[in-house]
Amino acid sequence: LVHEIGHGGMGVVYMAVQKEPVKRKVALKIIKPGMDTREVVTRFEGERQALALMDHQSIAKVLDGGSTESGRPYFVMELVDGTPITAFCDEARYNTCQRLELFGQVCQAVQHAHQKGIIHRDLKPSNILVTNYDHVAVPKVIDFGIAKAVHQPLTDQSVYTNVSQMIGTPLYMSPEQAQRSGLDIDTRTDVYSLGVLLYELLTGTTPFEKERLQNSSFDEVKRIIREEDPPRPSARISTLNAAQKTVAERHSTNPRTLSHELCGELDWIVMKALEKDRNRRYESAGEFAKDLQRHLDDEPVEACPPSKVYRFGKFARRNRTGLVTTALVALALVVGTSVAIWQAVRATRATARAESESERARGNLLMALDAVDELSTEIVEDYLSFLPHSEEITRVVRQKAIDFYEMFSAKNANDPKLRREMAEALRKLGLLKWGVNLDEAIVDLRRSVSLHRDLAAESPDSEQARYELASSESALGLVYWRTKRISEAKQILSDAIIGLEFLVQEFPDNLQYEWTLAE
């Protein structure tokens, strides 16, 4: 042993010199006393063959293992003279794109190990060192397989002695690792830890504050990891206060630009990796890396923000006793809305029969538009999905809404009094057709944007007209993006963003504009 180079919860790492069969400098990790030496070494012998199969430039090799004369197990690893990835990026003043590219290499290394059947279980900055080879930054993941080698299987006899032992580091630990047994672990555990690492690379802090976990009880730490949702990266940046400027400088930018860079796709990607339900995370580290590359290449990403249905589902699970009442209220709303639509259709037909009834019919028609909007969006998404046969109900209701909007646009296209309602109806029609026919959705949304632009031009001081124009442009831009018409999407989304930014500046108290811009 030459000298100590680090220590952690599992053991101490030394720089050492191996004398046989070749002389070389290595890293030697000695496991702390108190573990069952014979079992640990036996398990490591079983792991060593699998570890030897790994051959990736970003994975430090495990060379050997055994036990000291006193019986403490040790592991011999490739010596990596590097810096933890977070410190390296900060010291080098890497911008966001550079950080994502370096992190992508880490994901590929983890994917390689997963394909060999090895799960790390303790991914964190100190286990991902970056070093320069010929002026090129190369990350090296260390300690692969060691966590599994020393992990003691939980038996009936060990439940009471090992109940407080967790394999891993709480700040980077997945919810399933924080379960009482920690036995149900798969590769998505490493995906979660990679999500925490990316969160830290982007914001300078972990999803849950280190001080809070340190000052919490063991059970409270597990509860936080399993149940609490951390803020989005862009939201966390805005809460850093004095540290915000420092974090931005380490990204070679300013706080406002950094928050804007993280808002949207990077928020979605990180939060998908940090999902409590692992079935909602990326299936693999490779898929995680691919979505980041899509973002870097200005291509549509797979990640997206949680839907209203999902958020309401989480609320419903926390409030099961009120769910039946909610369902009954929803049904009453559906019945009431249906009656309103029926009355409105009758009123629309009445306009052709009696001119004196036109204003009354128009009022009823506007009521119907509001009713259809309520029925096809909030009620369907927030309530109907929890009723029996919800998929069929949702499909039928949305198709009825499409039929109504199409009838409305066909019968009232030339009514100058209904231009705003026509523009909004076309926007909602396009959104409803999103999952049915993207080409038809584009046609409707183009008409909506055209009408909204005319209305905004006629009333440049109208806050509502400008906001509705930005909403229609955003919807059309997203459909362009989904159909890979990238240049058209960039142009119209840029127009929408500029419009919303002006609204945020002119009306800073209207949180709706700021939230829409963030989305």
Side-chain angles (χ1 to χ4, degrees):
L1 304 182
V2 180
H3 59 80
E4 181 180 331
I5 57 177
H7 63 273
M10 230 176 353
V12 182
V13 183
Y14 294 90
M15 178 188 290
V17 175
Q18 183 180 2
K19 297 179 179 179
E20 296 177 342
V22 293
K23 188 173 183 178
R24 57 185 169 183
K25 290 182 179 179
V26 296
L28 188 143
K29 184 166 189 173
I30 300 179
I31 302 302
K32 286 182 176 180
M35 294 188 176
D36 189 318
T37 302
R38 180 178 58 82
E39 288 188 6
V40 169
V41 174
T42 299
R43 277 196 298 276
F44 181 74
E45 290 298 327
E47 289 292 317
R48 186 156 51 174
Q49 184 60 40
L51 294 169
L53 295 175
M54 291 196 294
D55 183 18
H56 195 281
Q57 68 169 359
S58 291
I59 297 179
K61 295 183 182 298
V62 177
L63 305 172
D64 202 355
S67 60
T68 65
E69 292 180 357
S70 62
R72 289 170 62 188
Y74 66 84
F75 307 92
V76 182
M77 299 167 284
E78 172 189 351
L79 179 64
V80 179
D81 184 16
T83 306
I85 187 170
T86 48
F88 178 90
C89 290
D90 288 345
E91 292 168 5
R93 294 294 192 267
Y94 268 17
N95 60 34
T96 299
C97 287
Q98 290 172 312
R99 290 167 187 252
L100 294 178
E101 289 169 351
L102 189 65
F103 178 78
Q105 296 179 52
V106 177
C107 288
Q108 295 297 351
V110 174
Q111 175 69 10
H112 174 81
H114 288 174
Q115 289 173 335
K116 303 297 183 181
I118 302 294
I119 306 171
H120 194 290
R121 301 172 182 234
D122 196 21
L123 290 168
K124 55 187 177 182
S126 60
N127 279 338
I128 303 171
L129 306 179
V130 182
T131 187
N132 279 307
Y133 290 102
D134 296 328
H135 305 292
V136 176
V138 177
K140 285 273 190 177
V141 185
I142 65 174
D143 269 12
F144 245 119
I146 292 179
K148 185 175 181 181
V150 300
H151 181 45
Q152 299 184 42
L154 196 63
T155 65
D156 292 340
Q157 298 301 318
S158 61
V159 165
Y160 302 102
T161 58
N162 289 345
V163 69
S164 63
Q165 180 180 346
M166 291 190 291
I167 298 297
T169 306
L171 280 171
Y172 303 88
M173 182 179 293
S174 68
E176 57 267 26
Q177 277 181 290
Q179 297 293 341
R180 183 165 292 271
S181 68
L183 291 178
D184 189 17
I185 303 297
D186 61 26
T187 55
R188 290 169 294 183
T189 283
D190 282 350
V191 170
Y192 181 94
S193 299
L194 287 170
V196 178
L197 177 63
L198 180 56
Y199 193 107
E200 188 172 7
L201 282 170
L202 297 176
T203 67
T205 183
T206 49
F208 301 114
E209 295 178 358
K210 182 178 181 180
E211 293 76 14
R212 182 187 178 196
L213 295 190
Q214 286 178 335
N215 296 328
S216 299
S217 67
F218 180 73
D219 287 337
E220 176 64 6
V221 168
K222 293 197 295 182
R223 186 200 66 78
I224 292 170
I225 295 170
R226 292 198 306 262
E227 298 178 11
E228 291 194 12
D229 292 320
R232 293 172 290 111
S234 61
R236 172 56 66 86
I237 287 291
S238 65
T239 65
L240 293 179
N241 300 322
Q244 192 179 70
K245 184 178 180 182
T246 302
V247 172
E249 287 175 349
R250 290 171 179 168
H251 284 70
S252 298
T253 187
N254 58 71
R256 180 178 178 84
T257 301
L258 178 58
S259 180
H260 185 71
E261 287 177 346
L262 304 187
C263 193
E265 289 186 347
L266 285 179
D267 275 340
W268 303 346
I269 290 171
V270 173
M271 299 311 288
K272 181 177 177 68
L274 293 179
E275 282 282 2
K276 302 295 184 188
D277 180 358
R278 59 185 167 183
N279 292 317
R280 293 179 58 83
R281 289 179 213 151
Y282 290 103
E283 285 294 321
S284 66
E287 287 300 316
F288 193 178
K290 287 178 182 177
D291 222 14
L292 284 172
Q293 193 58 51
R294 292 187 191 100
H295 169 76
L296 290 170
D297 293 340
D298 283 334
E299 296 178 358
V301 300
E302 295 296 326
C304 60
S307 65
K308 288 183 179 179
V309 175
Y310 176 68
R311 292 197 298 267
F312 186 81
K314 294 185 73 172
F315 171 81
R317 284 191 289 275
R318 293 195 301 268
N319 301 272
R320 293 179 185 276
T321 55
L323 189 58
V324 173
T325 302
T326 301
L328 292 174
V329 171
L331 284 173
L333 287 170
V334 171
V335 172
T337 305
S338 299
V339 171
I341 293 174
W342 173 69
Q343 290 177 335
V345 171
R346 289 184 61 193
T348 304
R349 291 170 180 167
T351 60
R353 297 193 303 265
E355 186 65 29
S356 61
E357 295 280 326
S358 61
E359 286 303 316
R360 180 181 173 187
R362 181 172 177 271
N364 285 338
L365 188 57
L366 297 183
M367 270 179 37
L369 280 171
D370 291 338
V372 172
D373 184 34
E374 179 81 10
L375 178 63
S376 61
T377 55
E378 294 184 17
I379 292 177
V380 167
E381 292 185 0
D382 290 349
Y383 299 104
L384 291 187
S385 61
F386 298 95
L387 299 177
H389 312 295
S390 60
E391 291 184 2
E392 179 62 19
I393 294 174
T394 300
R395 186 189 65 77
V396 171
V397 170
R398 283 183 172 154
Q399 186 56 53
K400 292 294 183 184
I402 289 173
D403 293 343
F404 181 84
Y405 281 128
E406 287 183 335
M407 179 198 73
F408 173 81
S409 61
K411 289 183 176 293
N412 302 281
N414 299 317
D415 189 338
K417 296 181 180 180
L418 291 173
R419 290 169 65 211
R420 178 193 168 270
E421 289 77 12
M422 178 69 68
E424 279 296 280
L426 287 167
R427 181 177 68 84
K428 291 165 185 172
L429 183 58
L431 291 174
L432 285 169
K433 288 182 177 178
W434 180 293
V436 180
N437 188 316
L438 286 173
D439 290 334
E440 290 186 10
I442 288 175
V443 171
D444 293 324
L445 289 170
R446 276 178 172 169
R447 292 174 61 197
S448 174
V449 169
S450 178
L451 277 172
H452 275 306
R453 282 178 176 166
D454 290 343
L455 292 166
E458 292 168 11
S459 305
D461 296 328
S462 171
E463 182 182 350
Q464 182 185 41
R466 292 162 60 193
Y467 175 69
E468 289 173 350
L469 170 59
S471 297
S472 287
E473 289 174 333
S474 298
L476 179 56
L478 290 174
V479 178
Y480 277 150
W481 195 271
R482 183 61 63 183
T483 55
K484 302 193 182 302
R485 296 164 67 166
I486 305 301
S487 60
E488 293 171 282
K490 283 183 178 179
Q491 180 60 53
I492 196 162
L493 287 173
S494 176
D495 293 342
I497 289 170
I498 291 171
L500 286 168
E501 285 179 337
F502 276 120
L503 285 171
V504 169
Q505 292 171 8
E506 293 178 41
F507 306 98
D509 295 331
N510 194 326
L511 297 179
Q512 181 183 18
Y513 302 148
E514 187 172 349
W515 178 247
T516 304
L517 180 60
E519 288 184 325

